Amino acid sequence: MLRIVTAAVLLSVLWPVTEVGPAWMFHLLVAAAVGLGTWECYRLLERRGARPLKSLGLVCALALVWSASGLRPSLDVLLPLAVITVATPVVAFWRRPDPEAMLAATWSTLLPVVLVGLSLSFLSRLRAVPGEDGKDLVYLLFFCVILADTAAFYVGTMIGRHRMAPRISPKKSWEGALGGLAASVAGALVASVWFFTRLTLADAVVLGLVLGLASILGDLTESMVKRASGAKDSSWLLPGHGGVLDRTDSLLFSAPVLYYYYAHHLLGLAGAG
């Protein structure tokens, strides 16, 4: 019951911020998710003995959200990536005592920035798309991913027999994954006749499958980090849900996938029309 209540509260915040609020408010929400998720990822890596340069990484992760938002002053996405790539080993040379510790600090600083900061910044890129498409893309993403997550959980709980990745996430099953993919496709099909009407039947099916698969891979990737760190949840910030990273892991890969599908296929079709 606590899980449902927390989910309802989060959705009640997401809808008005996306639909009614100004764009900067949505980007601020994304920045909060990126900041908390990146911090949780650093804490997980610290459980393994890593000593990342957290402050440097957090600043660059948040800068990636700014660059994706399109807010003024504009910021080239390559700038924070170049800064974190160059500054991390330089600071590690100075702050860590030996080559092994320097290397550990370097990879453990870079991983959360790329995995969480860069990936989730695509939420802001989707919202920054001009016109109604920006909002509709956000709705499409969350609609498909939430349906996929929910169906995967309940189908896996009820009929899951064949474990998909027992060394990473013992409870996930192939039956649950298939249920999640079917729900994601159903969500895209509903969106194509409800609010994203220029999605063709073929696009809805392809996007549903791709977003469902991407959400599963994102979930498994975060589970891999938690398993390697000996943690069940990324934190205890959200009652019944774990941490922010636990709630956004399905978006890590699905947000970039949807953005590039739109930019290179759907937008191209619109231009051709």
Side-chain angles (χ1 to χ4, degrees), residues 222-233:
E222 195 240 357
S223 294
M224 174 186 68
V225 176
K226 290 191 296 185
R227 178 70 60 175
S229 304
K232 182 179 183 295
D233 296 316

Side-chain angles (χ1 to χ4, degrees), residues 64-257:
L64 286 168
V65 178
W66 184 276
S67 70
S69 70
L71 296 174
R72 299 294 179 182
S74 60
L75 182 66
D76 185 349
V77 66
L78 293 179
L79 179 58
L81 290 176
V83 168
I84 193 71
T85 301
V86 174
T88 299
V90 171
V91 176
F93 297 157
W94 172 42
R95 298 291 298 274
R96 298 297 180 258
D98 55 67
E100 183 177 346
M102 294 172 191
L103 179 61
T106 299
W107 74 257
S108 63
T109 301
L110 291 172
L111 177 63
V113 174
V114 175
L115 180 62
V116 183
L118 180 60
S119 296
L120 291 185
S121 72
F122 277 89
L123 293 171
S124 281
R125 290 194 180 276
L126 290 170
R127 179 62 182 86
V129 169
E132 287 299 312
D133 277 1
K135 295 178 182 179
D136 289 344
L137 286 166
V138 172
Y139 292 141
L140 175 63
L141 176 66
F142 279 90
F143 196 45
C144 290
V145 168
I146 289 174
L147 284 175
D149 281 352
T150 303
F153 175 78
Y154 285 107
V155 172
T157 299
M158 291 187 294
I159 63 172
R161 298 292 182 271
H162 301 86
R163 300 303 161 196
M164 184 169 58
R167 289 183 295 178
I168 298 175
S169 185
K171 293 184 179 180
K172 289 183 174 59
S173 66
W174 286 108
E175 292 85 354
L178 291 174
L181 289 176
S184 182
V185 171
L189 289 171
V190 171
S192 70
V193 298
W194 180 12
F195 59 86
F196 212 119
T197 54
R198 66 188 178 88
L199 272 184
T200 66
L201 176 63
D203 281 324
V205 172
V206 170
L207 263 179
L209 288 172
V210 171
L211 290 178
L213 180 60
S215 70
I216 292 170
L217 293 175
D219 194 338
L220 288 175
T221 299
E222 195 240 357
S223 294
M224 174 186 68
V225 176
K226 290 191 296 185
R227 178 70 60 175
S229 304
K232 182 179 183 295
D233 296 316
S234 60
S235 76
W236 298 270
L237 185 63
L238 303 175
H241 285 262
V244 170
L245 196 54
D246 293 314
R247 289 302 90 209
T248 58
D249 55 5
S250 297
L251 302 171
L252 294 175
F253 300 154
S254 55
V257 163

Side-chain angles (χ1 to χ4, degrees), residues 133 198 203 262-273:
D133 277 1
R198 66 188 178 88
D203 281 324
Y262 173 82
H264 293 287
H265 182 64
L266 296 179
L267 192 60
L269 291 179

